[in-house]
Amino acid sequence: MIRELRDGALATAWGVFAEIAFSLLLGLLGCAIFLLVLLILG
Amino acid sequence: MSKNNSLKDMRIILYYTGEILVGVALLNIIPLLTALIEGDAASAADFTVSLGATLTLGAGLALLGTGGTRAGWKHGMVTVAFSWLVAMIVAAIPHWLSGHFGSYLDCVFDVMSGFTTTGLTLVQDLDHVSDSLNMWRHLLTFVGGQGIVVLALAIFTGEGGGGYDFYVGEGKDERLFPSVLHTAKAIWRISLLYLVLGTFVMWIVCISIGLNAGRGFLHALWIFMSSWSTGGFAPMSQSILYYHSRLFELVTFIFFVIGSFNFALHAAVLKGEWKELLRNLETMSFGTTMSLLSFFTAWGLVKFHVYPNLVALISKGFYQLASAHTTTGFMTIYPQQFVTEWGDIAILAVIIAMMFGGSACSTAGGFKGLRVGILFKALIQDTKRLLRPSSSIVIQKYHYHGERSLGEQQVRSAALVVLMYMAIFAIGALAGCMAGYPFLLSVFESASATGNVGLTVGISSPSMPAFLKIVYIFNMWAGRLEFMAILASAGFVASLFKGDRHARA
């Protein structure tokens, strides 16, 4: 029971971390594109 | 026989609408407690009146209706469309009593904007609105993001009810679990988990930028509710610009991007299937369109030398684009800056982003990444068919919680919803032009209302014509419910007038 709860909590924590990391990845990709355009046109 | 059937149908619809209204009534307790804790007697009275009136109406409708009957597809669809309209009218009572709105139409506009997670507002002097009314506005947007019917399902519906019809009617069509009741509860568990985590993180950020603990907590809670629901309401009239903090912008960006994900994706990732993030058709579609539109937005802004450096370019340009694409509507610029500074290329990119929107079965609006992805895959499939011998069979695969083959029915459904969005969007744009606003601004505001975004170029204000407010209310409602429930309701009403038994079957 405790082991199941612990495993569930760990999976949830990793899941939240993965979602945050993925949203940051999308943000970094967008920032890189903005930088690229600035370098091309600026 | 026909009349008896109509009456039976209506009584079922009234019963379930009544239950949903009782759920909405109970929500009044939270702002009521806020007012009582703060010793704000006037606001407490407003919410007591609202609670009483909504509860009476909800209980009255439930008593008039027939409970215990298994609701069918038709009942589910019509109940959802009808209950959203009735909920909009009664939830506007505290708005009207607050004295911060010019008319009751402005109040229902604000409520529909909240429920549909749009974020356009007609409130006057937002900066001096009571905390309890702000709590109510943000609560409506939070609940609307998960779905008010999903809330009612989670509270009232037993396993035997025809809940799935209600669930689909509200624009969510994926079961996270075989039982719709478990699905509704799972959606709320995920949202409440993030509510606790997100509010805590936002609270730390609020304190770090100088807000005191009490005020910081309320702002953290409201901004998180708005971010997660991709809502766009903010307690201050300057939206996110008010906080003048890059950290604040970064944290809200993370929450509204996560908020725009599909609940089925959240459920999978939180169970440990985090690789789904990198393979799912919807996240890939979202990432691709976001990247392409980032390029065009940056091109437009750099070409016209709108911002002096990369930090400002990202903080204003990229943030606005992401806010548009996730259909959040938070602003780090003034509405007039879109008009006077941004130029046509960047504005057009933002309009396209607003129309694409976030994920299906999420809090976001727009066409949804899944449909964009499916239509793109269908385009590839048809191109392959053209290039290969006519006798060959082309099977198009895609990854969406496992490998799937693209079917004609999926393409047809996606194309129909996109077509309906375009039609409603065109009506909104036309109405804006008829009200005397310039073409591009009318298109922008219509895309924002239809896609449930909330970015504004300044058209949405208390002074805009009443007919335009009604058109935008319709666009927000239709955009959120994704047309099926509205079309079913129109068919149901038409069949009542025609007395055609077959049309209602």
Side-chain angles (χ1 to χ4, degrees):
Chain A
M1 177 71 177
I2 291 170
R3 194 172 182 171
E4 270 180 23
L5 277 173
R6 190 197 62 187
D7 290 350
L10 263 177
T12 303
W14 275 111
V16 171
F17 177 75
E19 291 198 334
I20 291 171
F22 185 70
S23 65
L24 280 172
L25 192 71
L26 284 174
L28 283 173
L29 184 64
C31 293
I33 292 168
F34 268 69
L35 175 64
L36 185 71
V37 173
L38 189 65
L39 290 174
I40 294 169
L41 292 184
Chain B
M1 180 67 182
S2 174
K3 273 190 177 176
N4 284 343
N5 277 347
S6 302
L7 195 64
K8 198 175 156 191
D9 289 339
M10 285 185 75
R11 290 188 71 178
I12 294 171
I13 292 163
L14 283 180
Y15 175 79
Y16 285 105
T17 304
E19 272 202 343
I20 291 164
L21 285 186
V22 170
V24 173
L26 296 177
L27 289 176
N28 279 278
I29 294 171
I30 296 171
L32 176 60
L33 286 176
T34 310
L36 289 173
I37 289 167
E38 293 190 340
D40 181 357
S43 297
D46 295 349
F47 285 101
T48 306
V49 170
S50 173
L51 174 65
T54 314
L55 205 56
T56 307
L57 182 64
L61 289 180
L63 283 173
L64 279 175
T66 310
T69 312
R70 190 183 173 88
W73 179 259
K74 170 178 60 184
H75 306 120
M77 292 291 132
V78 179
T79 302
V80 168
F82 182 57
S83 62
W84 272 66
L85 284 182
V86 181
M88 170 189 76
I89 293 166
V90 293
I93 294 171
H95 289 62
W96 177 240
L97 295 175
S98 74
H100 280 277
F101 291 84
S103 67
Y104 206 81
L105 181 62
D106 291 7
C107 300
V108 296
F109 182 100
D110 202 81
V111 171
M112 186 54 97
S113 177
F115 270 144
T116 57
T117 73
T118 304
L120 294 171
T121 183
L122 302 183
V123 65
Q124 293 173 3
D125 197 13
L126 175 61
D127 299 340
H128 296 100
V129 159
S130 69
D131 286 343
S132 51
L133 185 63
N134 257 326
M135 182 67 84
W136 183 233
R137 295 175 71 242
H138 289 85
L139 189 63
L140 292 183
T141 214
F142 186 67
V143 171
Q146 319 339 301
I148 53 175
V149 177
V150 170
L151 173 71
L153 278 174
I155 297 173
F156 299 118
T157 308
E159 289 291 341
Y164 187 57
D165 312 318
F166 295 84
Y167 181 68
V168 173
E170 213 167 29
K172 292 181 169 62
D173 54 1
E174 284 182 51
R175 296 188 207 209
L176 279 55
F177 293 98
S179 149
V180 73
L181 178 65
H182 282 147
T183 300
K185 285 185 173 171
I187 286 177
W188 274 95
R189 265 201 303 273
I190 294 166
S191 298
L192 292 176
L193 164 76
Y194 269 104
L195 178 70
V196 174
L197 280 175
T199 303
F200 179 71
V201 172
M202 289 300 312
W203 191 29
I204 305 280
V205 173
C206 284
I207 290 171
S208 76
I209 62 171
L211 272 72
N212 66 43
R215 189 170 152 78
F217 175 76
L218 288 176
H219 279 236
L221 178 65
W222 296 334
I223 291 291
F224 176 78
M225 282 177 167
S226 216
S227 304
W228 173 258
S229 301
T230 62
F233 276 163
M236 307 307 293
S237 56
Q238 290 175 317
S239 191
I240 300 304
L241 184 63
Y242 170 80
Y243 302 95
H244 287 292
S245 163
R246 301 280 181 259
L247 180 63
F248 202 95
E249 289 163 13
L250 175 67
V251 175
T252 50
F253 169 85
I254 291 169
F255 288 134
F256 66 61
V257 170
I258 297 176
S260 75
F261 292 163
N262 193 315
F263 277 107
L265 181 67
H266 286 302
V269 173
L270 296 179
K271 271 192 286 184
E273 299 166 24
W274 57 268
K275 283 184 183 168
E276 186 67 25
L277 279 167
L278 299 169
R279 301 173 68 197
N280 191 293
L281 174 68
E282 202 156 34
T283 50
M284 292 302 99
S285 164
F286 182 81
T288 307
T289 51
M290 177 88 119
S291 301
L292 285 171
L293 292 168
S294 290
F295 179 82
F296 291 112
T297 307
W299 191 280
L301 295 177
V302 174
K303 189 184 171 194
F304 293 112
H305 305 288
V306 179
Y307 297 112
N309 55 52
L310 182 67
V311 175
L313 198 60
I314 288 168
S315 164
K316 310 290 181 187
F318 181 62
Y319 189 92
Q320 287 313 137
L321 178 71
S323 177
H325 207 325
T326 56
T327 74
T328 306
F330 279 157
M331 296 186 75
T332 49
I333 60 172
Y334 293 104
Q336 280 305 311
Q337 287 179 286
F338 274 128
V339 186
T340 56
E341 293 179 357
W342 268 47
D344 292 348
I345 301 170
I347 285 192
L348 206 54
V350 169
I351 290 171
I352 295 168
M354 290 196 286
M355 294 177 79
F356 282 170
S359 295
C361 192
S362 74
T363 65
F367 300 161
K368 311 286 166 62
L370 182 60
R371 296 194 183 100
V372 175
I374 282 176
L375 292 179
F376 181 69
K377 290 280 183 186
L379 194 66
I380 292 174
Q381 189 180 32
D382 276 11
T383 309
K384 282 180 184 170
R385 276 181 185 152
L386 284 174
L387 297 174
R388 289 181 185 174
S390 57
S391 57
S392 66
I393 297 168
V394 178
I395 296 171
Q396 185 67 46
K397 296 273 187 187
Y398 66 95
H399 186 93
Y400 187 72
H401 302 283
E403 286 300 311
R404 297 184 185 203
S405 298
L406 189 64
E408 293 298 326
Q409 185 56 40
Q410 290 158 302
V411 178
R412 181 187 156 90
S413 300
L416 277 175
V417 172
V418 170
L419 196 68
M420 288 299 295
Y421 260 108
M422 294 302 289
I424 301 287
F425 156 71
I427 290 170
L430 194 65
C433 290
M434 286 170 72
Y437 296 103
F439 172 73
L440 193 62
L441 305 194
S442 301
V443 166
F444 187 102
E445 207 79 359
S446 178
S448 181
T450 313
N452 303 136
V453 183
L455 293 179
T456 180
V457 282
I459 291 180
S460 294
S461 68
S463 61
M464 74 173 167
F467 87 90
L468 194 55
K469 291 174 187 172
I470 294 168
V471 170
Y472 285 168
I473 287 172
F474 174 76
N475 280 20
M476 292 188 277
W477 179 57
R480 182 69 198 167
L481 298 186
E482 295 194 333
F483 315 107
M484 201 190 289
I486 291 164
L487 292 175
S489 303
F492 179 71
V493 172
S495 73
L496 285 180
F497 283 108
K498 282 184 181 172
D500 177 2
R501 200 148 42 98
H502 297 294
R504 282 176 280 113

